[in-house]
């Protein structure tokens, strides 16, 4: 056994060394108590604290994402741009889309939080193990700058993809116009968006290259149909078209597709062949195509059944009666030669 003088000589002012020597009576264990006991405890503590923080943040993000499918949406998950207030009918189509977007944003946030926390924990553990972090951090900074210059397009794509999710520009299943490609979105990622067009071609589009987005599936859609009526009475034609549009609106097949009753707004323009009457209808985005097709068919058939089609055809001016362009009309026939008669 060591005497009190030996303990003071071996441990000096180290309280832990003295305590370990008092417990065990082993000088080598007392002298190495800091390396054998304190450092492993600190390393384990850093790892446990990092895992706890990660678990708490993941739980908070998951809760935040789950509340997005409810009526009240958290401010963090609201689009950055101010949305127009939607009606009750339109609101029934939003929760599923909101849920998908919230899950995508939540997945990105969880991955980012995990990478950040574990990186910081790894640096703290390396510091506890005696590594000199200054050269490592300097090297990491140089590598980061080099990657930043070499991968500018990648960073641009990732940032554009993140803002696309936050702003809810489009989602899987939406019909979009992205400039070169127009079709249905099949997948959305932080770097790449895939769109399949009407011919079945699958387009891979980098998010950083998308400068404009036309979303044909978001919220609601508008059906606009212009019907030429010649020179017949516009009020009579509007009444016939309105009755046909209301018939389509009350059809059980399309009853849920109309957000507002269809309306015949009246004469939209005048041409050399007569007036053109416009019919509009506010519909769901999914039902726009089928409603537009059936509404166009019903309007055409209503003109046929009412006898207006024959009157429209008869009211149109024959092409020979249209003044040529060189006399101020719309006929593009070549004017006669200088020696002829007009």
């Amino acid at each position: 056994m060591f005497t009190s003088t030996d303990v003071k000589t071996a441990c000096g002012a180290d309280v832990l060394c003295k305590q370990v020597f008092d417990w065990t009576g082993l000088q080598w264990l007392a002298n190495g108590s800091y390396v054998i006991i304190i450092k492993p405890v600190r390393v384990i503590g850093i790892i446990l604290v990092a895992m706890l923080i990660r678990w708490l943040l993941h739980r908070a993000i998951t809760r935040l994402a789950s509340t997005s499918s409810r009526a009240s949406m958290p401010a963090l998950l609201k689009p950055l741009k101010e949305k127009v207030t939607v009606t009750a009918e339109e609101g029934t189509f939003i929760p599923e889309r909101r849920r998908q977007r919230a899950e995508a944003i939540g997945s990105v946030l969880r991955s980012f939080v995990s990478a950040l926390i574990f990186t910081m924990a790894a640096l703290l553990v390396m510091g506890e193990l005696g590594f000199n972090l200054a050269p490592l951090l300097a090297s990491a900074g140089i590598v980061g700058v080099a990657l930043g210059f070499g991968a500018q397009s990648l960073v641009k794509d990732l940032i554009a993809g993140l803002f696309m999710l936050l702003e809810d520009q489009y989602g899987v299943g939406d019909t979009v116009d992205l400039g070169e490609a127009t079709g249905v979105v099949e997948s959305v990622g932080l770097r790449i968006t895939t769109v399949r067009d009407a011919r079945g071609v699958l387009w891979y589009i980098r998010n950083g290259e998308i400068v404009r987005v036309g979303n044909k599936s978001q919220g609601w859609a508008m059906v606009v149909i212009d019907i030429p009526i010649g020179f017949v009475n516009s009020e009579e034609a509007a009444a016939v078209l309105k009755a046909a549009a209301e018939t389509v609106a009350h059809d059980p097949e399309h009853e849920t597709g109309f957000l507002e009753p269809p309306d015949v707004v009246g004469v939209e323009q005048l041409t050399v062949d007569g007036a053109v009457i416009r019919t509009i209808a506010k519909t769901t985005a999914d039902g726009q195509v089928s409603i537009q097709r059936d509404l166009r068919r019903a309007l055409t058939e209503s003109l046929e059944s009412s006898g207006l089609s024959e009157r429209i055809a008869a009211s149109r001016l024959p092409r020979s009666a249209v003044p040529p362009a060189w006399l101020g009309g719309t006929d593009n026939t070549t004017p006669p030669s200088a020696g002829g008669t007009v």
Side-chain angles (χ1 to χ4, degrees):
M1 293 291 292
F2 291 98
T3 63
S4 59
T5 305
D6 296 330
V7 173
K8 291 180 180 179
T9 303
C11 295
D14 191 345
V15 178
L16 178 64
C17 176
K18 294 178 181 179
Q19 189 66 45
V20 172
F21 183 78
D22 289 339
W23 288 342
T24 63
L26 300 174
Q27 184 182 9
W28 66 268
L29 183 59
N31 291 335
S33 60
Y34 181 78
V35 175
I36 297 174
I37 299 175
I38 298 300
K39 280 190 176 293
V41 170
R42 285 187 176 181
V43 170
I44 294 174
I46 291 172
I47 295 174
L48 291 178
V49 170
M51 294 180 66
L52 177 62
I53 294 175
R54 175 182 176 272
W55 179 77
L56 291 175
L57 291 178
H58 276 213
R59 185 178 181 185
I61 293 171
T62 302
R63 280 191 172 186
L64 190 63
S66 64
T67 56
S68 64
S69 59
R70 302 173 188 171
S72 57
M73 187 177 183
L76 179 62
L77 295 178
K78 286 183 180 179
L80 297 183
K81 59 184 180 182
E82 188 67 24
K83 291 287 188 180
V84 179
T85 303
V86 296
T87 62
E89 293 84 355
E90 297 170 40
T92 58
F93 301 96
I94 293 178
E96 178 62 22
R97 176 185 183 86
R98 182 184 296 168
R99 183 190 63 81
Q100 294 177 356
R101 182 170 59 89
E103 288 180 355
I105 296 175
S107 176
V108 173
L109 291 178
R110 284 191 292 268
S111 299
F112 175 76
V113 165
S114 297
L116 180 63
I117 291 176
F118 285 138
T119 299
M120 295 179 64
L123 292 175
L124 292 175
V125 169
M126 293 175 67
E128 288 294 332
L129 297 178
F131 288 93
N132 187 2
L133 297 181
L136 180 63
L137 294 176
S139 301
I142 295 174
V143 172
V145 172
L147 289 177
F149 279 107
Q152 293 183 48
S153 60
L154 176 60
V155 175
K156 180 181 177 182
D157 295 339
L158 294 177
I159 294 176
L162 179 61
F163 275 90
M164 180 273 299
L165 288 174
L166 290 174
E167 294 174 349
D168 191 23
Q169 296 176 8
Y170 53 83
V172 176
D174 287 353
T175 301
V176 296
D177 181 356
L178 302 181
E180 292 294 331
T182 300
V184 179
V185 178
E186 291 201 348
S187 66
V188 177
L190 282 181
R191 195 179 73 87
I192 291 291
T193 295
T194 58
V195 175
R196 190 175 297 277
D197 64 15
R199 298 172 182 254
V201 179
L202 188 63
W203 295 82
Y204 293 85
I205 308 167
R206 289 169 41 205
N207 293 329
E209 298 298 320
I210 299 175
V211 295
R212 66 167 180 83
V213 178
N215 195 325
K216 303 178 182 179
S217 304
Q218 203 167 39
W220 52 271
M222 185 69 73
V223 172
V224 179
I225 300 176
D226 291 332
I227 301 290
I229 61 168
F231 293 96
V232 301
N233 186 284
S234 60
E235 293 185 359
E236 180 182 358
V240 173
L241 295 177
K242 187 173 182 61
E246 290 177 350
T247 301
V248 176
H250 290 92
D251 187 345
E253 183 179 354
H254 299 303
E255 200 167 7
T256 59
F258 284 89
L259 298 179
E260 293 180 1
D263 185 26
V264 179
V265 296
V267 177
E268 177 64 21
Q269 59 178 323
L270 293 173
T271 67
V272 69
D273 292 324
V276 175
I277 288 186
R278 171 164 293 182
T279 303
I280 62 173
K282 191 175 183 179
T283 68
T284 62
D286 294 337
Q288 179 192 24
V289 176
S290 60
I291 290 177
Q292 185 173 16
R293 186 182 300 114
D294 290 349
L295 190 59
R296 187 182 293 114
R297 174 184 53 79
L299 296 178
T300 304
E301 290 178 353
S302 67
L303 294 178
E304 291 281 351
S305 60
S306 64
L308 286 177
S309 294
E310 291 79 4
R311 293 167 55 188
I312 292 172
S315 67
R316 289 174 178 166
L317 295 174
R319 297 302 298 175
S320 58
V322 179
W326 54 277
L327 285 181
T330 58
D331 190 358
N332 293 322
T333 55
T334 306
S337 60
T341 58
V342 178

